[in-house]
């Protein structure tokens, strides 16, 4: 028997952002099929040159993915949702911290999410609920490079 639940589908996402979310959805799903080390390698290349994402920008990207994909909005869509949100941020020149990890309390479960400004974005659990195992944050500028 299953327990019925309602998905929280964001409304009011602008058309252009929904369109961009659909654009990154296929690459996000394809990336989600790769082993973790490959995902990390791809994301480390993609993030180059991006500024750190703000919490608002990251939340807007996450909302857009959930608005265009029932899979991403669902409880088992965390990996494509987090990858898609990171890629959508990258289209605007920013990068959140993409994370995977496990819950620190039973029942133990794997999870993927994005963070911005040092906090998980759009997650209903407390900040310390998951322990990071892998993270790809914004790239640090090269030594001696001017900061903007």
């Amino acid at each position: 028997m299953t327990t019925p639940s309602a998905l929280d589908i964001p409304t009011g996402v602008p058309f252009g952002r929904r369109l961009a979310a659909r654009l990154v959805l296929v690459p996000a799903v394809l990336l989600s099929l790769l082993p973790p080390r490959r995902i990390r390698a791809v994301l480390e290349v993609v993030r180059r040159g991006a500024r750190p994402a703000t919490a608002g920008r990251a939340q807007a990207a996450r909302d857009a993915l959930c608005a265009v994909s029932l899979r991403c909005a669902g409880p088992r869509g965390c990996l494509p949702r987090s990858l898609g949100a990171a890629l959508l941020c990258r289209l605007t020149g920013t990068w959140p911290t993409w994370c995977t990890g496990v819950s620190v309390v039973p029942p133990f479960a794997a999870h993927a999410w994005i963070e911005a400004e040092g906090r998980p974005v759009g997650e209903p659990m407390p900040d310390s609920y998951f322990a990071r195992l892998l993270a790809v944050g914004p790239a640090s500028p090269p030594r001696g490079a001017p900061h903007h």
Side-chain angles (χ1 to χ4, degrees):
M1 176 154 51
T2 61
T3 305
S5 64
L7 296 178
D8 184 21
I9 308 294
T11 58
V13 177
F15 175 76
R17 192 168 301 131
R18 286 194 324 264
L19 190 61
R22 288 188 190 280
L23 178 72
V24 300
L25 188 57
V26 171
V29 169
L30 292 175
L31 267 175
S32 73
L33 301 174
L34 297 176
R37 64 184 167 74
R38 293 261 191 193
I39 294 172
R40 182 180 58 204
V42 170
L43 296 182
E44 286 175 346
V45 170
V46 172
R47 74 177 178 180
R48 289 183 187 158
R51 300 177 318 279
T54 63
R57 170 104 33 190
Q59 183 68 55
R62 187 184 189 281
D63 287 349
L65 264 295
C66 291
V68 301
S69 169
L70 288 176
R71 179 178 182 182
C72 288
R76 297 190 182 271
C78 65
L79 186 54
R81 175 177 59 236
S82 63
L83 290 165
L87 294 174
L88 188 54
C89 283
R90 185 61 186 97
L91 287 180
T92 63
T94 64
W95 187 260
T97 298
W98 176 82
C99 307
T100 60
V102 294
S103 57
V104 296
V105 295
F108 296 103
H111 189 54
W113 66 96
I114 58 170
E115 294 180 0
E117 299 174 7
R119 302 205 52 217
V121 173
E123 296 297 327
M125 289 69 104
D127 290 359
S128 60
Y129 189 81
F130 291 103
R132 279 186 190 181
L133 297 177
L134 182 64
V136 180
S140 300
R143 289 184 194 262
H147 295 325
H148 299 319

